[in-house]
Structures are given as C-alpha cells and as structure tokens.
Amino acid sequence: MSFEDLRKQARQLENEIDLKLVSFSKLGTSYSSQGHAQDSRRAETSPLLGSTNSEHMFETMALEIEQLLVKLNEVNDKMAEYSQNGGIHTNNPSLMHTLQRHRDILQDYTLEFNKTKTNISAYRDREELLGSVRREIDNYHKGSSVQNRRTDLLLKEQEHTRNADRVADEAINIAMATKENLMGQKGMLGGITTKMNTLAKRFPVINNLFQKINLRKRRDSIILGAVIGVCVILLLLYAFR
C-alpha cells in the first residue's frame, strides 16, 4: 500500500472511531442522568446497568472502539515505517506534520475513550453498590415486619390467655359462692327437719297426722305406678297387635 492509501485508511478509521465515541459518550451521559434521576426518586432497587441489553451494549461498543484504536495505531506505525523505508524524506515538514497529526488524533481518541469507559464503569459500580445496599435494607425491613407480626401474635395470644384465666377465676368464684349458699340452705332445712321431728315427738296427734300423710303419699304413689304400668302394657299390646 502507498503512503496515500495508508492516509486514507487512517482517515476512515478516525471517522469511524469519532462516530463510535460520540455514541459511547451519549451512553455514558444517559447513564449519568439516569443515575441522578434515580437518586432523586430513591425508589429503584436495581442498578442502572442491571439489564442484559445495557450490559451488552456497553461491552460491545467498548470492544469495537478498542479494536478500531488498535487498527489505527497499526496504520500509524505503517505510515511511520513507510516514511522511513519508502524513499520519502523524513525531513519533509508536511509529512512530519501529517504523521504527528494522526498520532495526536489517536492519542485524543484513546484518552476520550478511556475517560468515558472509566466514568461508565464508575456509574455501574456505584449503582451496583447502591442496589446491594437497598436490597439489604429491604430485606431488613421485611425481617422486621415478620418479627413485628410474630410479636403481635404473641401479645394477642397472651391477652387471650389472660382473658381465659380471668373467666376461669370468675367461674370458680361463682361456684364457691353457690356452694356456700347451698350449704347454708342445707343447714337451714336440717334445722327445720329437726324442729319438725321434735314437735312430732312432743305432740302425738301431729305425729299421727304426719304418718297418715306419708301413708297417703305412698298409696298415691302405688296407685299412680299401677296406672302407669297398665297404660304401658296396653300400649305394648296395641303396638304388637
């Protein structure tokens, strides 16, 4: 290839690199603006470069620019070698200016690429760190919520237990009061029975009256039992008839 062909190839690579760097710089600017907007909202929990498409775009563009910079460096080396071995005078000011200009352009592109790549990597690391911290905070809040729910359940269970104990105590107190009342009534009835027996012993007429009353009660009971028995027998005969 002639020196002019190498110059054309270098210009073509420079133009291609320039377009790639513009797109790469816009990618870094968009990441930066998204990062500030995310900080203002404070609602996102995933890093900016968390999506597969963004990661793929970043890696692909960086790799393409690196390859183009390597090719441009190779072309610049070939032009310098051609100027020394191709019969062109190295003291030609125009030639030296052209070579230096291409080297400066390569250096500027390399610096710009490294700067943009470093900024994007810094944004990515920052957002990944923030996303990790936010996830830890969310997990802590979730764990606290679960613990609070468990504490509430335990408190409610203790309250139910206290209520059950209170109801049981009230029932026991009522039973004790009822027992005391029944014991009092039993004593009262026992006193009345004793007095009645004493009166019966002192007054035979009254005793005879009580005996007749008891006999009449027994007779009535026997008659009532006999009537019930006859009725039952009649019902059974009617049922199996």
Side-chain angles (χ1 to χ4, degrees):
M1 296 180 64
S2 65
F3 185 80
E4 188 64 27
D5 293 334
L6 292 174
R7 284 186 61 187
K8 291 180 180 180
Q9 187 177 359
R11 289 176 180 175
Q12 182 179 358
L13 289 172
E14 289 170 355
N15 291 332
E16 190 172 354
I17 292 173
D18 185 67
L19 294 175
K20 294 286 185 181
L21 285 176
V22 170
S23 300
F24 199 60
S25 179
K26 289 181 179 179
L27 180 63
T29 303
S30 65
Y31 288 153
S32 176
S33 61
Q34 290 176 14
H36 292 303
Q38 188 182 45
D39 290 338
S40 63
R41 291 192 303 268
R42 303 180 67 87
E44 300 293 335
T45 58
S46 59
L48 289 175
L49 296 181
S51 62
T52 305
N53 293 333
S54 298
E55 286 284 356
H56 180 70
M57 182 182 299
F58 171 73
E59 298 295 339
T60 301
M61 293 184 66
L63 180 61
E64 291 177 353
I65 295 174
E66 287 177 352
Q67 292 176 349
L68 292 174
L69 289 173
V70 171
K71 290 181 181 180
L72 181 59
N73 186 48
E74 292 175 353
V75 173
N76 287 342
D77 291 340
K78 289 180 181 180
M79 284 193 297
E81 183 181 356
Y82 189 88
S83 65
Q84 294 176 0
N85 301 327
I88 301 177
H89 298 289
T90 57
N91 294 328
N92 188 342
S94 177
L95 176 62
M96 296 303 296
H97 176 73
T98 300
L99 292 175
Q100 187 61 40
R101 178 176 174 274
H102 286 294
R103 291 193 184 98
D104 293 340
I105 292 174
L106 175 61
Q107 184 178 3
D108 292 340
Y109 285 165
T110 302
L111 291 175
E112 183 179 355
F113 168 70
N114 290 331
K115 180 180 178 181
T116 305
K117 182 179 180 182
T118 301
N119 290 335
I120 295 177
S121 298
Y123 285 128
R124 178 176 58 184
D125 295 339
R126 171 179 174 273
E127 292 303 322
E128 288 179 351
L129 178 61
L130 290 177
S132 177
V133 172
R134 288 166 186 161
R135 285 191 294 271
E136 291 179 358
I137 293 174
D138 291 340
N139 292 333
Y140 173 77
H141 288 321
K142 292 178 181 178
S144 299
S145 299
V146 173
Q147 186 64 30
N148 291 333
R149 286 196 295 270
R150 290 178 179 175
T151 303
D152 293 338
L153 291 176
L154 289 176
L155 292 175
K156 291 180 179 179
E157 187 66 24
Q158 291 178 357
E159 183 65 23
H160 291 327
T161 303
R162 286 195 294 268
N163 293 332
D165 292 339
R166 185 166 56 252
V167 171
D169 292 337
E170 292 177 355
I172 292 173
N173 292 330
I174 293 173
M176 293 297 294
T178 303
K179 179 181 178 182
E180 293 177 356
N181 190 11
L182 292 175
M183 292 297 293
Q185 292 180 3
K186 180 180 179 181
M188 185 182 296
L189 292 175
I192 294 172
T193 303
T194 302
K195 290 180 180 180
M196 293 293 292
N197 291 330
T198 302
L199 291 174
K201 290 178 181 179
R202 289 182 179 180
F203 301 99
V205 177
I206 297 175
N207 189 15
N208 293 329
L209 180 63
F210 285 157
Q211 290 179 357
K212 291 179 180 180
I213 292 172
N214 291 329
L215 290 174
R216 182 169 292 182
K217 286 183 178 179
R218 291 177 183 175
R219 186 187 63 185
D220 293 338
S221 299
I222 293 172
I223 294 172
L224 181 62
V227 172
I228 293 174
V230 173
C231 291
V232 171
I233 293 172
L234 292 176
L235 287 174
L236 290 175
L237 292 175
Y238 179 78
F240 292 101
R241 184 177 176 180

